[in-house]
Structures are given as C-alpha cells and as structure tokens.
Amino acid sequence: MGNFMELVRNENMKIYSRLRTWIMMGIMLVIMLAASIVVLLLDEGVKSMWTVLNSEVFSGTMLVTIFTVIIAADSVAGEFSSGTIKLLLIRPWSRSKILLSKYISVIQFAIFFLAVLFVWTYIWNGLFFGFSSGSLQELTNESSTGSVWSFVLSGLGLQFISMMLTTVTISFLLSTVFRSGGLSIGLSLFLMFMSDTIAGLMSLIDKPWKDYFWFMQSNLTQYLSNGPDVTHEHTIYFSLGILLVYYVVFLAITWWQFMRRDITS
Amino acid sequence: MSEPIVQLSNVTKRIGNRTIIDHLTLDLHPGEVYGFLGPNGSGKTTTIRMMVGLMKLTEGEITIKGHSITDSFEKAIRQVGAIVENPEMYKYLSGYKNLVHYARMVPGITRQRIDEVVKLVGLQGRIHDKVKTYSLGMRQRLGVAQAIMHKPSLLILDEPTNGLDPVGIRELRDYLRHLAKSEGITVFVSSHLLSEMELMCDRVAIIQHGKLIDERVISQDGPAKDAVSRYRFEVDRPSEALELLAQHSAVVTQEGIELDTDRETAAWINAQLVSAGLKVYGFRPHVKSLEEQFLEVTGGETVG
C-alpha cells in the first residue's frame, strides 16, 4: 500500500498551515526574549549565559507542554468536530495507522518547538551575557564536574520524556475518548499543574503503594543532581518504569477506543 | 446481467435494542446509477456509513468488488469514493491542499490528475483560495473532486444535490450519468429530491424503518409503446362515455373518465367517443411519478 510517512506529512500540513501554531511560536519567542532582557537590565550579578538559559529552558518547556497539549487535543477531536473525520477514515488506511500518524506529528511538534526554544535562548543569552562554555558549579552549586551542555540538554530531554509520557499522552487519550478538544485540554493541564500538589499530599501517606502513582514519579529532572550528598528514594529506572506502564495503558485505551468507535459525527 | 460490484447481504445494524437497519439486501451492478430513497430517519445515512466502514455491521456482510468491508477494509475502500452527508473539508486549507491531502493517502495520484479533476468540477478559478471562503455549492464540487480523484469503481454520494443551484444540479446529473455510462463507475446516490432521482437513476430502492420496501427500474426513455397505463379522457358527458365503454371497466372522475389501456386502444377509444357525438377535450396517459409511487409505498410519510 501507500507510504506511511505521507500520512504524517498530511498531519504536519494541518498543524503548520494554521495561524494558531505560529502564534504559539511567536508567544514562546517573545516571552523568552523578554525574560533575557529583564535579567540583562535588572540583574548585574549574572555569572554566565548558562544560568539564564537553564531557567528559561526549564520554564519554556512548560510552555511547550501546554502548546503540545493543545495540538494533541485538537488532532483527533478537531476532526470529529469539523466532520472531516469521515473523509479521513474512508481511505485505504487502517484506523490505527491514521491515529499513529497523528500521534507522531504531535511528538514532532514538541521536538520542533523544544529545539527552537533551545536555539533561541542560546543565541540571545549568548549575545547578552557572552558566549561561554560555562561550568557546572554555576548551575548546581555542587562541586560536580561535567559538561554544562550535557546537563542542560539532559534536563530538557528528561522534561520532554516526562511530558510525552504523561500530560501529552493523556491529552491525546481524552481527545480520542471524549472527542472534545476543550475538555481534554482543560483536564490534562489540570492534571499537569496539580501533579506536584497531589504528589505532595500523597507523600504524606505512609504506604508503599503510593510510589506506584504517576504523580509521584513524573518529576524526572530530580535525578540530574547526583552529588555525594544527594539521596533519592528511587532510581530513575524505577520512575521511568512506572511511567512507562501508565503510558502503555493510556495508549492501549486510546487505540482501542479509536478502532472500535462508530463514526456518527 | 453482469456480476454485481457491490453486494449488501442481510445487513443489520442494531444500537442498543433499536434496529436501525433490518436485513437489507441490495446488489449494485457496474455502470448503473442507483438511487436510495427513504423518509428521514429511515436509515439511508446509516447504510452509507456501513458501506464505507465508518460504522460496524451488527449482522450481514458488505462486499465491494469481492472484498469484504469488514475483513479487508483497505482493499474494499480503495474502490470507493464518497461524500458522507456534507462535504466537510479543512476550512483553513485551500481547496487544492485539501485535494493534495487526500491524494497522498492513495498511491499513484499525480499532480496532473488533481488538476484534471479540478477542471472537471469547474473550480480552477478558486482552487487556491481557502475553503472557508467557498459557497456550499463550491464545497460540494470539491467534495465530488476528492471522491473521484482516485478513479473509484463505486461512487457513493449522500444527498449530492444539496446546496447546488439548478445549473449545478443539471451539470452534476449529466456528469454522474457520464461517469456511469462511459467509465463504468457504479454510482450510489441518496437523495430526498425524488424528481431528481427520476432523472438521474437507472434503479431506485426505497427503504423505510431500515427495511427495503421496494426496488424498481426507472426507464430513462419513457414507457414502452405497448405498455398498459392509466388513461384519462376529458369529456363533456362522462356518464354517457361510461356506457359506451362498458367493456373497458372505466370509472368516472372529476375531469371525465379513467381506464387502463395501451396507446393504440386509447386512440381507438377516442375515435369511438367522438363519433358518438361526445366532446373530447383531451386524453393522456397518466404516468405515476416516482414521488407518487414513493408516497404510495411509504404510506404517505413525509419525505425530507
């Protein structure tokens, strides 16, 4: 049959032909630039470009997560609300492959935005505070050695994995199950913002099973600080394992729902 | 008769304990335009949704060119082009990009083919404008374009004349007949415009409450010469005419008299009446329109 990548191309065409997508991009770029300018004007004790970059990339990732949730929610629910789902599903492709092409385009969207985020903050902070190779002490206040690049990029990578495994996939799931973009955006962002609060509450519970909730494990960046005086309750593999189990369950429900549903919109 | 290209056998759809479609069996042959008539809520759209795999069948089977829509969906649907209900397109894309979108999903559709269908449906001037600026008629044309782009053997159109102006309807009708006759495409149309169906279709099926209640052939060249039909004679003295035509079991109506006969006999009866001194103002065969037949079989339920 046909070429699967053509389906992904279609999904990308639908994402990037919309003004909305470029407004999101503009918002992200303006906020990051503004943050650097504010630091440049107000804070004279900046040690290097990396301290500003690191915190901007961290908060920027939250923004990218919100945007990706919007794209993921609209990807399936939007086809239902516009009625285009009918013309989309009467092609010689199985429903599961069409859903997969949508999911892949959502992942690509997140990677694209994170890459732009990193390059953009690198350029401006370098121009404002001087390009430097930096040292890890500036970021972690620990006597650890290693490359600043790998620290910042692994932080970005872990945040990306955490967001894809939980918030974005939940949004995709809700979008498929409820066919309502608004509901899935609202609910998945609510879960994202509440996850720290819920994790805080749950840590008060003195039972071993509390560790098996995804809220308890969704913060992967904690594992980046691994000096001699830092101890973690679990290993990163344990956290990843728990998240993966949830992830597989979320995806299974999503696909099952999409394959069995009668299209009546 | 040739091998049917589409077969619906005992197709049944139940949602909960409501039976929407009840053991529907239809055969469609290559190159015919098949009309699908029924009152609102009779299950036309549900049937179409099952034929294109959007809804699952509770019982029965649908095959298209021998491929089951349930078991080998991809092979079966490859033969189908369709518009289900309204031709909903991506409004934020241009008409052309919408076509590119669907073209990518079937191997072998070239840019030339896209340009060809754009020309065919007469959208050349506006194809690069966003679909949100299109009128309903233009969307309908774009819908037809995406349905025929991959040269399907079966074209399914749900209420295709909706939103078209009289010229557009005529063009579409001529085009569908052309597709069926010269390219051998089977066209399956549902419509509530009965007069339209009469002009467009070779056969029509009438369904009500999910059941096939009638299926008939529509003759495109009018009734045959020796066909018996109901003739109405407008005369000045009906009762006298009745006496004169005692052996023909005629009845008196408001306008005159009515009886079943063929063309030649009707002319002969006219001569009889005139020579008996009656005034004949006119006589004509009364061909039941599809609409009358439809109301007859569906028991006068409103058609929408």
Side-chain angles (χ1 to χ4, degrees):
Chain A
M1 286 319 272
N3 181 355
F4 176 74
M5 288 321 288
E6 293 287 294
L7 296 190
V8 180
R9 261 180 90 190
N10 271 345
E11 294 308 319
N12 283 333
M13 175 173 79
K14 286 183 254 179
I15 293 174
Y16 301 107
S17 295
R18 301 192 76 165
L19 184 61
R20 184 179 71 181
T21 306
W22 301 105
I23 291 175
M24 289 181 196
M25 176 68 87
I27 290 173
M28 180 178 83
L29 299 183
V30 167
I31 289 180
M32 292 306 130
L33 181 59
S36 292
I37 291 173
V38 168
V39 174
L40 179 69
L41 296 178
L42 300 181
D43 189 348
E44 272 141 31
V46 176
K47 287 181 206 142
S48 85
M49 64 176 283
W50 290 99
T51 46
V52 189
L53 184 145
N54 192 43
S55 52
E56 279 182 5
V57 164
F58 183 81
S59 48
T61 309
M62 298 285 274
L63 198 59
V64 173
T65 308
I66 295 173
F67 292 158
T68 312
V69 159
I70 294 171
I71 297 294
D74 190 59
S75 183
V76 180
E79 302 267 4
F80 277 97
S81 56
S82 68
T84 46
I85 189 80
K86 289 176 295 194
L87 288 185
L88 184 67
L89 292 186
I90 56 168
R91 311 288 147 181
W93 287 96
S94 67
R95 287 194 191 181
S96 61
K97 283 190 186 130
I98 286 175
L99 193 60
L100 183 65
S101 71
K102 288 186 167 291
Y103 191 68
I104 288 174
S105 73
V106 170
I107 297 175
Q108 287 180 343
F109 173 88
I111 293 174
F112 171 54
F113 265 53
L114 288 177
V116 171
L117 170 74
F118 184 81
V119 171
W120 180 259
T121 51
Y122 181 81
I123 291 171
W124 285 107
N125 289 316
L127 289 174
F128 288 164
F129 309 106
F131 290 99
S132 70
S133 52
S135 74
L136 210 49
Q137 279 95 330
E138 294 160 2
L139 296 179
T140 60
N141 296 321
E142 290 153 24
S143 55
S144 47
T145 53
S147 143
V148 180
W149 279 93
S150 78
F151 180 83
V152 173
L153 287 179
S154 7
L156 191 62
L158 288 175
Q159 268 187 291
F160 167 73
I161 290 170
S162 170
M163 95 189 212
M164 281 317 304
L165 290 184
T166 59
T167 314
V168 171
T169 301
I170 290 171
S171 170
F172 197 70
L173 161 74
L174 295 173
S175 164
T176 306
V177 173
F178 297 117
R179 287 157 293 160
S180 156
L183 184 66
S184 52
I185 292 170
L187 214 51
S188 47
L189 289 183
F190 171 78
L191 286 174
M192 178 177 90
F193 289 119
M194 290 301 287
S195 71
D196 283 347
T197 314
I198 297 172
L201 282 173
M202 291 192 76
S203 61
L204 300 176
I205 306 171
D206 190 23
K207 293 277 193 296
W209 47 256
K210 71 173 200 291
D211 291 333
Y212 298 103
F213 283 91
W214 88 75
F215 301 108
M216 303 298 290
Q217 309 299 340
S218 57
N219 179 14
L220 294 175
T221 45
Q222 56 171 316
Y223 297 107
L224 276 178
S225 46
N226 48 5
D229 45 340
V230 186
T231 52
H232 295 295
E233 221 178 319
H234 303 287
T235 65
I236 189 168
Y237 302 108
F238 176 81
S239 293
L240 271 177
I242 298 289
L243 292 182
L244 268 176
V245 171
Y246 279 99
Y247 178 69
V248 169
V249 172
F250 292 153
L251 286 186
I253 298 172
T254 311
W255 255 260
W256 172 66
Q257 273 293 316
F258 192 70
M259 309 260 300
R260 67 181 273 273
R261 159 157 285 141
D262 275 349
I263 310 295
T264 53
S265 72
Chain B
M1 205 140 204
S2 49
E3 190 78 350
I5 179 167
V6 182
Q7 285 183 294
L8 282 78
S9 39
N10 283 316
V11 172
T12 302
K13 179 72 183 177
R14 273 190 288 273
I15 297 177
N17 48 20
R18 270 187 61 224
T19 305
I20 315 264
I21 301 293
D22 194 0
H23 294 91
L24 186 66
T25 299
L26 299 175
D27 283 350
L28 273 59
H29 299 278
E32 76 173 338
V33 181
Y34 194 92
F36 200 47
L37 281 172
N40 272 347
S42 55
K44 295 187 301 262
T45 299
T46 304
T47 307
I48 288 178
R49 281 172 195 272
M50 288 194 287
M51 287 171 75
V52 296
L54 290 175
M55 281 180 132
K56 303 209 163 32
L57 284 70
T58 313
E59 267 173 49
E61 202 188 23
I62 296 175
T63 59
I64 297 162
K65 271 204 163 175
H67 304 293
S68 154
I69 196 79
T70 319
D71 302 329
S72 50
F73 170 76
E74 285 150 66
K75 277 185 188 150
I77 203 74
R78 176 68 186 82
Q79 311 294 331
V80 180
I83 303 178
V84 183
E85 283 184 320
N86 307 311
E88 281 124 345
M89 298 286 167
Y90 300 101
K91 292 194 175 67
Y92 50 88
L93 297 179
S94 66
Y96 192 77
K97 279 194 171 172
N98 267 285
L99 293 181
V100 167
H101 176 269
Y102 296 117
R104 282 183 187 149
M105 299 185 81
V106 181
I109 300 180
T110 58
R111 295 269 152 168
Q112 286 91 317
R113 175 65 187 159
I114 299 178
D115 295 340
E116 201 179 300
V117 292
V118 168
K119 223 178 195 169
L120 215 69
V121 297
L123 274 178
Q124 308 94 304
R126 297 286 306 278
I127 196 66
H128 291 289
D129 293 349
K130 291 221 160 95
V131 171
K132 63 179 156 210
T133 66
Y134 284 16
S135 67
L136 186 52
M138 292 168 70
R139 286 179 203 191
Q140 194 69 262
R141 285 155 191 259
L142 191 60
V144 171
Q146 65 79 30
I148 58 172
M149 194 164 50
H150 54 289
K151 300 187 171 155
S153 349
L154 170 67
L155 185 59
I156 299 176
L157 302 171
D158 202 359
E159 311 265 350
T161 51
N162 257 1
L164 292 184
D165 53 26
V167 180
I169 291 177
R170 203 202 155 88
E171 275 175 17
L172 180 76
R173 187 209 305 148
D174 292 346
Y175 180 61
L176 291 183
R177 291 208 64 81
H178 165 79
L179 274 183
K181 298 309 153 215
S182 62
E183 314 215 1
I185 295 179
T186 306
V187 183
F188 186 84
V189 244
S190 80
S191 176
H192 64 281
L193 293 173
L194 301 173
S195 47
E196 236 352 280
M197 297 290 254
E198 205 163 15
L199 292 169
M200 200 176 344
C201 301
D202 301 308
R203 279 199 299 160
V204 291
I206 301 174
I207 67 162
Q208 190 181 29
H209 306 308
K211 278 185 196 152
L212 182 69
I213 53 176
D214 200 17
E215 191 180 42
R216 59 186 61 181
V217 176
I218 307 237
S219 167
Q220 292 293 338
D221 1 279
K225 281 206 171 120
D226 56 348
V228 171
S229 48
R230 196 93 183 144
Y231 274 81
R232 276 185 190 160
F233 286 85
E234 248 180 274
V235 291
D236 59 346
R237 300 190 298 274
S239 47
E240 271 181 47
L242 204 61
E243 268 172 51
L244 208 64
L245 302 169
Q247 78 273 34
H248 285 283
S249 69
V251 290
V252 177
T253 64
Q254 274 179 333
E255 296 164 23
I257 56 162
E258 258 186 45
L259 55 104
D260 289 324
T261 186
D262 61 56
R263 203 174 139 89
E264 285 302 315
T265 322
W268 182 80
I269 289 173
N270 179 47
Q272 293 289 100
L273 292 172
V274 172
S275 56
L278 277 87
K279 284 182 180 163
V280 178
Y281 301 111
F283 72 98
R284 61 180 187 279
H286 173 61
V287 182
K288 276 187 196 156
S289 71
L290 191 56
E291 183 148 356
E292 283 170 281
Q293 296 176 18
F294 181 84
L295 292 174
E296 216 171 81
V297 286
T298 59
E301 206 167 317
T302 44
V303 188

